Amino acid sequence: MFIALKVTHIVFVVAWMSCLFVLPRVILHWRKICYSSQESEAFKSLSIGLFRFGSLMAILAIFFGIWLWKAFSFNGAWLHYKMAFVFLLIIYHLISGKLLLNIIKNKPFRSNIALRLFNESSLLIVIPIIYFVVSKNA
């Protein structure tokens, strides 16, 4: 059961991360074509779908992560550090949703540079998580 639970958690985490990595990029491209209504609607649909899928994957990843944590009594400083960075990823996800909502409400877009920096910043949160998980027994 431990392996199946761990694999399930990892699958949902990977799915969530793929959405976190792609959604800001889609928003950036949406910004570039916002004056062409047909393409804009396609990017709007894609962005909303990505956010919804990513939200579901986040909920499932967190659920299975908590299940792993409680069922197998994981503990240690690495877990606390990892959870702090997971919390930052949740905030990042919510900010992505806020950006999306602002765009849907026709509020002004952020600048290209701000969106690019935001897009790349998720990796700065994910790398420490991977490090803490891999080095927990080292």
Side-chain angles (χ1 to χ4, degrees), residues 48-64:
I48 292 169
L50 271 171
F51 184 75
R52 286 180 178 163
F53 179 77
S55 296
L56 176 61
M57 295 301 104
I59 290 167
L60 292 170
I62 292 166
F63 171 76
F64 283 102

Side-chain angles (χ1 to χ4, degrees), residues 85-127:
F85 281 96
V86 168
F87 182 72
L88 289 176
L89 270 182
I90 293 168
I91 291 171
Y92 181 92
H93 184 81
L94 294 173
I95 292 170
S96 294
K98 179 74 171 149
L99 284 172
L100 183 60
L101 189 61
N102 286 346
I103 293 167
I104 291 169
K105 291 181 176 180
N106 294 320
K107 291 186 178 178
F109 282 96
R110 302 265 183 215
S111 72
N112 277 347
I113 294 172
L115 285 173
R116 286 180 190 276
L117 289 172
F118 182 73
N119 181 51
E120 304 303 331
S121 65
S122 61
L123 195 57
L124 297 175
I125 302 171
V126 171
I127 290 171

Side-chain angles (χ1 to χ4, degrees), residues 6 13 24-25 31 50 56 69 72 76 81 108 114 119 129 134:
K6 204 170 195 179
V13 167
R25 181 62 61 177
R31 182 186 190 281
L50 271 171
L56 176 61
W69 178 16
F72 298 98
Y81 298 138
N119 181 51
I129 292 172
V134 170

